[in-house]
Amino acid sequence: MSFREDFSWGAASAAYQVEGAAVEDGRTWSVWDMMCRKPGAIYQNENGDVACDHYHRFKEDVALMKQIGLKSYRFSLSWPRILPEGIGKINFKGIEFYNNLINELLANGIEPYVTLFHWDFPLKLYRQGGWLNLASPQWFADYTGVVVEHFSDRVSNWMTLNEPQCFIGGGIINGHHAPGDKLELSQALLAAHHSLLAHGRAVRVIREQAKTKPFIGYAPVGVVKVPATETAADIEAARTSMFRMTDESYWNNTWWMDPVFLGRYPEDGLHIYGEKAPKATSEELAIISTPLDFCGANIYNGRETTVGPQGQPVDAPRYQGFPMTAMDWPIVPQSLYWGPKFLYERYNMPVFITENGIANCDWVSLDGRVHDPQRIDFTHRYLRELRRAAVDGVDVRGYFHWCLMDNFEWTFGYNRRFGLVHVDFRDQTRTIKDSATWYKTVIESNGKCL
Ligand code: NOJ
C-alpha cells in the first residue's frame, strides 16, 4: 500500500496572504491590517493591501493550479470580507468573490478545502475584546453559519482554525503576530479556550446545517519529535516528548489537540499552568471535542529526540552546519513520517498534512524560468517519508504544499518565498517554478515516482 488512490494532492494559501483588495467591495480591516501599520512590526513596513492580488486574478491562479495538476486547493475565507462588522450584516460582494472562486475551482476539477479562520480576526470584534470576549465562540458560530449557508452546497471539506499556537502564542503572548499583544498567561489561556470553543461550535454548525455531507478537520501546528536513531528507546523518547508539556511554552501539541480529540486538557499542562488554566466545564469540553473527520497538521520540521541521563526524553545534539531553509528552519524530512504516525496512534483519526513547504531564495533566471532545486529536493525527501507512513499503515489522506504562490509571509512581508509559483510583486507576473513542474509528475504518478 502506498498513497491511496483518492489521495488529495494539493497546495494551500490563506486569505490575508494572497487576496489583497483589502478595502475593496466592502471588506473591513482585520487585526493583520492593523498590525501592518505598527511601525517596525513587519519587514519594511509591508502589508497585505495588494499581496498577490488574488482577489482580481483568481481565474489566472486557478488556471495555474490546473496546469500544475492540483487535485485540491486549501484556502481560507476572510471573515471581515464576509461580515464587515464581524457579525450581522452580510457583505454579498464578499460572498460573490468566494462563490466565483469555488465555481472556478470546481469547473477545473479542483476540490476546495476551506479554512474558516487563518488569523485575520475582524478588527471591529477585536476592539470588543477579540478572543477574550465570552461571546467570541458565538460570533464564530454565527460567521460559520453564514459560510455554510452560502457555500456548503459545493464545499464539503472544512477546516476550522489554522495554527492556534500562532494566533494565540504569537498574537497575544509574545506579540510578534497580530494583534501584537502581550497578555498575561491566564488571559491568553482564556482566549485560547474561547478559540477552542469557537472551533467546537463551528463543527456543530457545519454538521447541522451543511447542504452536502461535510468532512471536517482542524489545522494546528504539528510540533513533531523524531527519534534521533530508530531504536526502540529513541522512538519511545520521541513519542513521549511529542505529547508532553514540560514548561509554560505554547509550542506543544497536547494543549491544543487533546481537548479537541480526547475531550480533556492534558494533566501535565493543567499542573504546569495551575491557577492560570481556564476552568473548563464538562459541557465546554464536550463542545470542544465535537467529533471531527480528520486531524490536520502543519508540519515543516521536527526535533531529533533521544534518551537523557535520567531516562527522560531530551533533544539530541545537531551537527554544525545542519541544513536550514531560508526561514532558518531545520530540514528534517523524517518529521513527515513520525509526525503523522504519532498523531494517528494517539488520536486515531485520518491525517492530512495541511501545510508543508520551504522558503527559498528564488528568482527569475536569465532564461526566464525559476530554478528551485532545493524545493524539489526538500519536498522529495519529505514526501518519501510521508509515503513510508502510508506504507506502514498510517491513514494519510492528503498533502497540501505551502504555498501555491509566493505571498505575504506575515512579519517577514514579501521577503520569504514559499510558493510553487513565483510572483513578481512589481507587476504580479506569475512564473511556475521548476518545483511545480516536478510536483505535477508526483501527482500524476500518485507518488510512485518519488
Ligand atoms: C504556517 C502558516 O499557517 C502560514 O500562514 C505561513 O505562511 C506558513 N506557516 C509559513 O510560515
Side-chain angles (χ1 to χ4, degrees):
M1 164 87 181
S2 176
F3 293 112
R4 299 160 54 107
E5 279 310 311
D6 61 353
F7 192 80
S8 199
W9 293 102
S13 76
Y16 190 67
Q17 296 182 270
V18 300
E19 284 180 6
V23 285
E24 214 173 307
D25 288 344
R27 179 188 180 274
T28 59
W29 272 16
S30 73
V31 291
W32 267 98
D33 299 83
M34 171 196 72
M35 183 77 178
C36 292
R37 270 72 193 179
K38 294 191 183 182
I42 312 292
Y43 174 77
Q44 290 191 358
N45 296 317
E46 292 171 343
N47 60 54
D49 281 5
V50 178
C52 307
D53 198 28
H54 177 67
Y55 188 76
H56 298 111
R57 295 167 195 264
F58 69 92
K59 284 198 176 176
E60 182 190 348
D61 294 335
V62 174
L64 289 166
M65 295 179 212
K66 183 158 189 189
Q67 205 180 324
I68 302 170
L70 298 186
K71 296 198 167 164
S72 49
Y73 178 49
R74 173 182 178 225
F75 62 98
S76 80
L77 307 177
S78 160
W79 182 351
R81 193 183 292 290
I82 291 174
L83 298 175
E85 306 293 320
I87 45 173
K89 203 168 108 333
I90 299 172
N91 174 28
F92 285 98
K93 282 282 189 190
I95 300 284
E96 188 186 327
F97 166 65
Y98 292 116
N99 269 335
N100 290 341
L101 173 60
I102 291 163
N103 292 341
E104 191 69 14
L105 288 167
L106 294 173
N108 284 281
I110 299 165
E111 212 179 344
Y113 278 71
V114 170
T115 309
L116 293 171
F117 180 70
H118 199 126
W119 306 357
D120 43 358
F121 197 91
L123 187 58
K124 298 211 177 179
L125 296 183
Y126 168 67
R127 292 198 169 128
Q128 295 176 47
W131 288 119
L132 270 178
N133 193 314
L134 267 177
S136 55
Q138 182 64 47
W139 296 339
F140 194 67
D142 290 348
Y143 156 63
T144 304
V146 172
V147 166
V148 166
E149 162 69 21
H150 290 91
F151 308 129
S152 68
D153 55 333
R154 286 150 297 143
V155 172
S156 47
N157 307 300
W158 304 95
M159 280 145 288
T160 54
L161 309 178
N162 181 74
E163 296 196 348
Q165 291 100 326
C166 285
F167 69 77
I168 297 291
I172 63 176
I173 295 180
N174 67 34
H176 293 159
H177 279 214
D181 291 333
K182 292 183 183 174
L183 301 184
E184 277 176 18
L185 192 55
S186 58
Q187 295 291 291
L189 293 175
L190 183 62
H193 185 59
H194 291 157
S195 75
L196 291 178
L197 276 167
H199 153 86
R201 296 283 305 273
V203 178
R204 290 188 176 188
V205 169
I206 302 171
R207 278 274 183 250
E208 284 157 16
Q209 298 173 21
K211 298 174 188 169
T212 51
K213 193 173 182 310
F215 187 61
I216 316 172
Y218 169 52
V221 179
V223 180
V224 176
K225 304 299 173 95
V226 306
T229 64
E230 295 200 357
T231 56
D234 281 1
I235 292 170
E236 197 42 44
R239 183 186 284 117
T240 304
S241 177
M242 186 156 148
F243 298 112
R244 75 172 187 170
M245 290 175 61
T246 52
D247 57 30
E248 287 189 342
S249 162
Y250 58 83
W251 278 121
N252 64 71
N253 295 304
T254 50
W255 192 261
W256 312 94
M257 294 173 99
D258 281 10
V260 167
F261 293 109
L262 305 179
R264 54 176 157 76
Y265 279 108
E267 282 302 325
D268 51 5
L270 287 170
H271 180 73
I272 289 165
Y273 290 142
E275 281 303 302
K276 297 173 194 160
K279 309 273 172 288
T281 64
S282 51
E283 288 79 20
E284 287 175 336
L285 288 165
I287 292 171
I288 293 172
S289 60
T290 303
L292 286 172
D293 301 305
F294 69 90
C295 167
N298 295 351
I299 299 177
Y300 290 83
N301 55 55
R303 191 67 185 81
E304 305 81 353
T305 308
T306 188
V307 184
Q310 273 88 45
Q312 81 286 21
V314 291
D315 289 352
R318 275 188 181 142
Y319 57 89
Q320 292 181 351
F322 195 90
M324 296 291 207
T325 72
M327 291 294 273
D328 255 341
W329 294 351
I331 299 177
V332 184
Q334 323 83 284
S335 58
L336 236 48
Y337 174 74
W338 294 104
K341 184 178 167 65
F342 288 154
L343 288 171
Y344 184 59
E345 281 175 7
R346 184 175 181 88
Y347 300 123
N348 197 22
M349 281 267 129
V351 177
F352 275 72
I353 303 303
T354 36
E355 284 182 30
N356 167 253
I358 171 177
N360 193 44
C361 300
D362 306 319
W363 66 87
V364 182
S365 293
L366 286 173
D367 64 5
R369 296 179 26 208
V370 179
H371 304 296
D372 56 343
Q374 287 88 347
R375 184 170 288 101
I376 295 175
D377 190 65
F378 174 101
T379 313
H380 197 163
R381 288 172 189 267
Y382 275 68
L383 283 177
R384 282 162 78 122
E385 294 291 335
L386 187 62
R387 184 175 62 186
R388 177 155 78 108
V391 168
D392 281 2
V394 178
D395 188 1
V396 196
R397 301 282 180 96
Y399 170 86
F400 291 93
H401 194 82
W402 185 270
C403 180
L404 171 68
M405 55 191 163
D406 298 338
N407 60 53
F408 177 75
E409 176 54 29
W410 309 114
T411 54
F412 294 92
Y414 298 93
N415 195 30
R416 293 290 186 278
R417 295 182 179 274
F418 273 95
L420 291 166
V421 175
H422 181 276
V423 178
D424 183 332
F425 293 102
R426 291 172 301 184
D427 60 6
Q428 296 292 342
T429 302
R430 273 79 161 135
T431 308
I432 284 199
K433 299 182 190 176
D434 288 355
S435 57
T437 309
W438 171 83
Y439 189 38
K440 184 180 170 70
T441 63
V442 175
I443 298 172
E444 279 167 357
S445 73
N446 199 31
K448 291 191 185 69
C449 69
L450 289 164

